[in-house]
Amino acid sequence: MSTTNAPAPASPAVDFRTIDLRGQQLSLAALRAAVPRAQGRTMADAEEKVHAIIAAVRQDGFAAIANLAATFDGVEQQHPLVPQEALDAALASLDATVRAALAESIKRARIFAEGQRPRNVDVALGDGAVVSQNWVPVARVGLYVPGGLAVYPSSVIMNVVPAQAAGVVSIALASPPQKEFGGLPHPTILAAAALLGITEVYAIGGAQAIAAFAYGVPASATGPALEPVDVVTGPGNIFVATAKRLVKGVVGIDSEAGTTEIAILADSSAQPDLVAADLISQAEHDPQAASVLITDSPDLAAAVRVELNRQAAVTRHSARVQMALSGPQSGVVLVDDLEQGIAACDAYAAEHLEIMTLDAAAVAARIRNAGAIFVGDYSPVSLGDYCAGSNHVLPTSGTAAFSSGLNVTTFLRAVQVINYSRSALAEVSGHIVSLSRAEDLPAHGDAVTARFADN
């Protein structure tokens, strides 16, 4: 049969599922169980593999990292440290328009980051009794920039700029080696690092990068040591997020920033084409990306579905987008009203939350749980990804209920300084003795009274 004039096969429809919460009075626990979540691979599933990777790096150092690079990245590696000449060459060959865009992103991120730094505080509690809180930068940090399906020079900026604004002196950066670039990270990643003055860059990906940062790697015949860090930050896949969880306590981490997610709280005033465009913008990251619409308008939900099918069919990464939008982690949540919508948003605790409602600023002010909140039609998540000045390394998978996005304080420690005079200590010495006896720790009290014993 001739197919010369046959119509082209239609793109598969986006199966954007519906979760209908209308008419239900749900507890917080029930809301958390009801909102869309990924149902595939979990951190528990990844833990065994990540434990093995961490153990291999700790035992065999750069040899293990080279083996993992061959296994996962298909590259042969002598030593993962990127030569300075490669950083210089990447910056020299960077497209002028991309360089200008990165420079603008750096400028805005730096202004916001420098404004975040908390001030030191001295509190006088009496004559000669002063307690201070001083903010001190950690000495060394390890920053992870993912590879995979996209290139993320913006993540270089989001990691590096707040660390620099905090005053961190020693900054190391890791990104996966790329076979097509001779086993080095993507040139645009290297160029962004060079633009920011970062000279210690490693071609290491995945959980092995997190392990190397946390425990350090001794020098070998192929090159110098990778010294351990105090804090590890940066987004990544489930293996990176799992590794960060497993090394927490050995080092500080920012948050569990895994596969991206967007939630949009919208009412009937929202524009369906903009809602769909923003859901798609995050779905193009990864087939596991989550895109969620929370609305009290069935008509809006129906119109957004039409737009999702239309726009997803023609976007560059159509197959990836359609898979993400059709997954269990995505869908529309129908609610009775704005109140239930806000409750659903807080239960979901989105990495990125857009507010597309009447009086969006007032609604945004009522949200408790989100990594970052984008207010109104002209503050899309894409703005935050690149040029808002905010940080796009944000907590995912509901952890925004207790974690913050990457910021200057991630790289600072609050150190308390206590400075009492003899008379100030004498004023509270009796209370100290009473409390030490109440806790059956009399030597605590003795340490105070010894200072007032007759010589």
Side-chain angles (χ1 to χ4, degrees):
M1 182 191 305
S2 173
T3 59
T4 303
N5 297 315
S11 296
V14 171
D15 183 16
F16 197 60
R17 68 188 182 121
T18 297
I19 297 172
D20 194 343
L21 303 183
R22 292 174 297 177
Q24 302 180 56
Q25 299 294 322
L26 299 177
S27 66
L28 176 58
L31 271 175
R32 286 178 173 171
V35 294
R37 294 288 184 202
Q39 297 176 6
R41 192 170 52 192
T42 66
M43 286 190 182
D45 299 323
E47 274 194 14
E48 184 176 354
K49 291 181 179 179
V50 174
H51 270 301
I53 289 171
I54 292 172
V57 171
R58 295 187 70 183
Q59 178 175 316
D60 297 325
F62 287 126
I65 290 171
N67 288 336
L68 291 163
T71 300
F72 294 122
D73 306 300
V75 304
E76 296 299 321
Q77 195 174 73
Q78 294 300 311
H79 192 281
L81 182 65
V82 176
Q84 183 61 47
E85 54 266 29
L87 293 167
D88 295 338
L91 183 56
S93 62
L94 183 64
D95 178 86
T97 61
V98 176
R99 180 166 182 160
L102 289 173
E104 181 66 23
S105 180
I106 290 168
K107 181 185 78 172
R108 290 172 179 256
R110 201 177 298 284
I111 291 170
F112 184 54
E114 289 175 350
Q116 292 171 12
R117 182 166 181 135
R119 63 185 180 88
N120 294 341
V121 175
D122 297 321
V123 179
L125 299 171
D127 187 19
V130 178
V131 178
S132 304
Q133 179 164 282
N134 297 335
W135 290 93
V136 180
V138 299
R140 177 167 165 81
V141 299
L143 313 179
Y144 185 76
V145 176
L149 298 175
V151 183
Y152 295 105
S154 56
S155 287
V156 178
I157 296 169
M158 300 299 171
N159 277 278
V160 171
V161 168
Q164 290 178 333
V168 177
V169 174
S170 180
I171 298 176
L173 188 145
S175 192
Q178 306 284 325
K179 188 174 183 178
E180 62 184 302
F181 299 111
L184 297 179
H186 194 284
T188 311
I189 299 294
L190 300 183
L195 194 60
L196 285 157
I198 303 303
T199 58
E200 187 181 351
V201 179
Y202 296 93
I204 312 177
Q208 55 269 34
I210 308 305
F213 280 150
Y215 295 101
V217 184
S220 70
T222 60
L226 192 169
E227 296 297 334
V229 304
D230 301 306
V231 171
V232 174
T233 73
N237 62 19
I238 192 168
F239 295 100
V240 171
T242 301
K244 287 170 72 176
R245 177 178 285 186
L246 292 178
V247 302
K248 185 178 181 180
V250 177
V251 292
I253 67 168
D254 50 346
S255 63
E256 293 173 10
T259 307
T260 193
E261 61 195 25
I262 180 176
I264 300 178
L265 176 61
D267 60 17
S268 59
S269 70
Q271 299 182 54
D273 58 333
L274 297 184
V275 173
D278 291 354
L279 293 171
I280 288 171
S281 74
Q282 297 307 296
E284 78 171 340
H285 275 280
D286 190 284
Q288 301 302 315
S291 296
V292 176
L293 170 62
I294 300 171
T295 184
D296 61 355
S297 172
D299 290 342
L300 175 70
V304 168
R305 273 199 178 84
V306 172
E307 283 293 325
L308 286 175
N309 279 283
R310 182 183 69 80
Q311 295 181 35
V314 298
T315 193
R316 178 174 180 177
H317 301 296
S318 180
R320 188 189 309 165
V321 166
Q322 290 173 344
M323 187 176 295
L325 293 174
S326 299
Q329 74 276 13
S330 299
V332 58
V333 178
L334 289 176
V335 294
D336 287 314
D337 51 29
L338 186 62
E339 294 301 319
Q340 191 181 30
I342 291 172
C345 287
D346 280 338
Y348 185 66
E351 176 189 20
H352 309 101
L353 176 63
E354 290 188 2
I355 308 296
M356 291 187 172
T357 65
L358 293 172
D359 201 1
V363 174
R366 298 179 58 195
I367 299 296
R368 181 182 297 274
N369 299 335
I373 303 172
F374 300 81
V375 183
D377 288 351
Y378 298 98
S379 303
V381 168
S382 301
L383 173 65
D385 281 340
Y386 300 115
C387 282
S390 58
N391 203 293
H392 78 203
V393 181
L394 301 166
T396 61
S397 304
T399 60
F402 52 83
S403 295
S404 302
L406 189 62
N407 63 85
V408 167
T409 63
T410 306
F411 304 102
L412 296 172
R413 294 173 296 114
V415 178
Q416 297 177 17
V417 180
I418 298 89
N419 188 354
Y420 269 51
S421 66
R422 188 178 195 279
S423 60
L425 177 60
E427 185 177 351
V428 294
S429 61
H431 298 309
I432 296 170
V433 170
S434 295
L435 290 171
S436 71
R437 290 173 179 170
E439 293 189 350
D440 194 24
L441 297 170
H444 282 60
D446 293 344
V448 171
T449 58
R451 286 164 166 77
F452 302 101
D454 293 333
N455 294 326

